[in-house]
């Protein structure tokens, strides 16, 4: 089973960080929500940081503002994930530049669409 850590996972169903949790669960992935509050999200235990994950995720999906994303790039690299999705609004030129400098394998696209769903399917 492929695994994904969702940075910025949210308990609020209207937020994309929650829609992603539901989409990946529907797609059969092991979902590892990352949220500093540490509360369960959509029935999945949440982790306060990438360092707290019990497994190396195959993919990261980021739903954070660019300054927070930028600060977490070293942790993303250290996570060992083979692919990072910067969802719309999570990255800017500074994030892209630093991610390239670090050699972080990233995609600038909606990770929900990448697995064949539309965010609108998860109201």
């Amino acid at each position: 089973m492929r695994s994904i850590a969702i940075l910025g996972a949210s308990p609020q169903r209207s937020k994309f960080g929650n829609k992603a949790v539901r989409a990946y669960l529907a797609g059969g992935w092991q979902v590892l929500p990352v949220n500093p509050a540490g509360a369960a999200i959509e029935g999945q235990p949440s982790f306060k940081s990438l360092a707290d994950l019990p497994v190396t995720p195959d993919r990261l999906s980021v739903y954070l503002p660019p300054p927070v994303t930028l600060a977490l790039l070293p942790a993303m690299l250290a996570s060992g994930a083979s692919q990072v999705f910067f969802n719309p609004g999570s990255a800017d030129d500074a994030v892209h530049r630093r991610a390239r400098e670090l050699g972080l394998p990233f995609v600038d696209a909606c990770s929900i669409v990448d697995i064949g769903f539309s965010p609108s399917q998860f109201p």
Side-chain angles (χ1 to χ4, degrees), residues 7 49-51 60 69-81 102 104:
L7 284 73
S49 73
L50 283 169
L60 303 179
T69 301
L70 183 63
L72 291 177
L73 290 175
M76 290 181 209
L77 185 63
S79 77
L102 291 172
L104 190 68

Side-chain angles (χ1 to χ4, degrees), residues 94-120:
V95 169
H96 293 144
R97 185 172 38 258
R98 184 66 181 136
R100 282 187 196 97
E101 289 170 1
L102 291 172
L104 190 68
F106 72 88
V107 177
D108 219 11
C110 177
S111 67
I112 296 171
V113 171
D114 183 67
I115 60 167
F117 292 109
S118 168
S120 65

Side-chain angles (χ1 to χ4, degrees), residues 14-30:
S14 63
K15 296 204 172 215
F16 285 93
N18 181 284
K19 292 174 186 270
V21 170
R22 290 184 281 144
Y24 276 88
L25 286 171
W29 290 61
Q30 176 187 15

Side-chain angles (χ1 to χ4, degrees), residues 5 10 15 24 26 33 40-41 44 47 49 51 53 72 83 89 93 120 123:
S10 174
K15 296 204 172 215
Y24 276 88
I41 297 174
Q44 305 302 302
F47 302 90
S49 73
L53 296 177
L72 291 177
Q83 189 176 49
D93 289 342
S120 65

